[in-house]
């Protein structure tokens, strides 16, 4: 299959997986703290990736390990905790909307710090997608005045982390396989995540039923939403552009909205209209 067709398949599959991640975080927070959710997500993903990708580590040269560590920090470690903390105050659908700022940040960081060019159509697509996202956020804020929107800054910070990560991979790790990059990332993060979990008080509460139920949700999140998804995402970066790969965050809110509906989160006609604008932005940013 040609890369032009394959990249759209990766984009849609990632949107389904990551769009479901926010509701899994929400369910995990019913029995775990945000710190525990973030660390368990990394731990489960690490063990899964070591099982399937341990042999791929030998393909990483010594010079590449510093970039593996940096991308692990920006692309996985920080966002895992930032999103969990944000969702202690914000609905899962609102968090997914704010995550849509990633393509705009990817374009800006790529142009300013990595010398990656872009075309006017890409910029127009990103701005249209951003407009749709802002419409969704504004309408969500009106309908949920009890939510603390200062926590939205955590999601915005996470989107900058993702944007930096995308550009680093495209520039410094383009010649490594997605499995090598992903497995290397989580090998670096495994020990820190275990230490954080131990000192979070998790051993004392593991016997609680609500904690055990929450752990099951984070297990799914770690294996599918983090381990499998990261492999697909790195592959998408390699066969497309950083901006196109980051555009998956435009589709994520659409999936997250439907999960939110099932969990009694409110959607309005204006939010659906905003989602439609977002899809237009995805199409334009992907065009050459």
């Amino acid at each position: 299959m040609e890369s032009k067709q394959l990249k759209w398949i990766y984009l849609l599959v990632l949107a389904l997986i990551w769009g479901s991640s926010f509701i899994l975080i929400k369910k995990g927070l019913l029995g775990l703290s945000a710190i525990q959710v973030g660390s368990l997500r990394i731990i489960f993903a690490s063990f899964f990736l070591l099982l399937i990708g341990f042999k791929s580590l030998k393909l990483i040269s010594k010079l590449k390990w510093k970039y593996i560590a940096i991308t692990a920090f920006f692309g996985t470690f920080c966002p895992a905790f930032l999103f969990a903390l944000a969702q202690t105050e914000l609905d899962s659908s609102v968090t997914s909307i704010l995550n849509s700022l990633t393509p705009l940040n990817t374009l800006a960081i790529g142009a300013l710090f990595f010398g990656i060019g872009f075309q006017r159509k890409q910029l127009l697509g990103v701005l249209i997608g951003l407009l749709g996202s802002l419409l969704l956020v504004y309408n969500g804020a009106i309908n949920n005045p009890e939510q603390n929107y200062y926590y939205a800054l955590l999601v915005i910070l996470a989107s900058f982390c993702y944007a930096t990560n995308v550009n680093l991979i495209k520039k410094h790790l383009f010649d490594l396989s997605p499995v090598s990059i992903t497995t290397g990332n989580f090998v670096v993060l495994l020990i820190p995540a275990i230490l954080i979990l131990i000192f979070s008080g998790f051993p004392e509460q593991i016997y609680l039923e609500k904690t055990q139920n929450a752990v099951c949700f984070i297990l799914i999140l770690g294996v599918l939403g983090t381990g499998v998804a990261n492999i697909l995402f790195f592959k998408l970066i390699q066969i497309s552009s950083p901006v196109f790969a980051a555009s998956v965050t435009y589709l994520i809110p659409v999936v997250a909205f439907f999960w939110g509906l099932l969990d009694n989160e409110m959607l309005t006609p204006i939010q659906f209209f905003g989602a439609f604008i977002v899809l237009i932005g995805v199409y334009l940013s992907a065009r050459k």
Side-chain angles (χ1 to χ4, degrees):
M1 187 178 295
E2 295 182 2
S3 294
K4 184 183 294 186
Q5 298 171 323
L6 194 59
K7 71 179 183 180
W8 283 102
I9 294 176
Y10 279 129
L11 188 75
L12 293 175
V13 172
L14 279 169
L16 289 172
I17 294 175
W18 275 336
S20 303
S21 295
F22 297 93
I23 195 68
L24 290 172
I25 293 173
K26 182 177 181 179
K27 295 299 183 182
L29 287 169
L30 295 177
L32 297 165
S33 69
I35 299 300
Q36 291 166 348
V37 166
S39 54
L40 277 171
R41 180 179 185 177
I42 293 171
I43 291 167
F44 286 138
S46 298
F47 284 123
F48 167 73
L49 288 164
L50 282 171
L51 285 174
I52 67 170
F54 181 76
K55 292 182 179 179
S56 69
L57 294 176
K58 63 183 180 181
L59 301 176
I60 305 174
S61 66
K62 292 182 179 179
L63 294 176
K64 294 289 185 180
W65 272 105
K66 65 178 180 181
Y67 295 112
I68 290 291
I70 294 171
T71 56
F73 178 78
F74 282 108
T76 299
F77 187 81
C78 289
F81 293 103
L82 290 172
F83 277 112
L85 286 168
Q87 283 192 225
T88 60
E89 289 290 335
L90 303 177
D91 280 345
S92 59
S93 55
V94 173
T95 307
S96 69
I97 296 164
L98 293 171
N99 188 46
S100 297
L101 294 170
T102 299
L104 178 61
N105 294 334
T106 300
L107 197 67
I109 290 175
L112 291 173
F113 301 107
F114 292 88
I116 297 176
F118 60 89
Q119 298 179 352
R120 289 183 180 180
K121 289 179 181 178
Q122 285 183 304
L123 179 59
L124 178 62
V126 170
L127 293 177
I128 290 175
L130 177 62
L131 177 63
S133 297
L134 291 175
L135 179 61
L136 288 165
V137 171
Y138 176 73
N139 192 257
I142 292 176
N143 287 279
N144 299 280
E146 75 283 356
Q147 294 182 358
N148 186 347
Y149 268 77
Y150 283 112
Y151 278 70
L153 295 174
L154 299 177
V155 185
I156 295 172
L157 179 58
S159 76
F160 273 105
C161 290
Y162 279 145
T164 303
N165 180 55
V166 170
N167 283 293
L168 284 169
I169 291 170
K170 189 68 176 181
K171 187 175 181 65
H172 298 291
L173 301 176
F174 64 91
D175 55 342
L176 287 179
S177 73
V179 175
S180 295
I181 298 171
T182 312
T183 306
N185 281 168
F186 284 93
V187 165
V188 171
L189 298 178
L190 180 57
I191 299 303
I194 291 174
L195 291 174
I196 291 172
L197 183 65
I198 291 173
F199 288 105
S200 71
F202 180 75
E204 289 77 24
Q205 65 184 76
I206 185 60
Y207 64 90
L208 298 175
E209 183 178 356
K210 67 174 184 178
T211 299
Q212 294 170 359
N213 291 335
V215 168
C216 291
F217 287 112
I218 304 306
L219 174 62
I220 299 171
L221 177 66
V223 173
L224 187 62
T226 305
V228 174
N230 274 6
I231 293 174
L232 294 176
F233 185 58
F234 294 155
K235 179 64 177 177
L236 179 60
I237 294 172
Q238 291 176 334
I239 66 173
S240 63
S241 69
V243 172
F244 180 85
S247 293
V248 68
T249 53
Y250 285 157
L251 294 172
I252 287 172
V254 180
V255 178
F257 284 158
F258 284 104
W259 280 115
L261 278 177
L262 295 175
D263 202 52
N264 299 316
E265 293 182 8
M266 296 296 294
L267 275 177
T268 68
I270 294 178
Q271 287 176 314
F272 277 112
F273 178 66
F276 175 71
I277 295 176
V278 164
L279 292 175
I280 294 175
V282 174
Y283 174 73
L284 290 176
S285 67
R287 292 182 65 190
K288 290 186 178 180

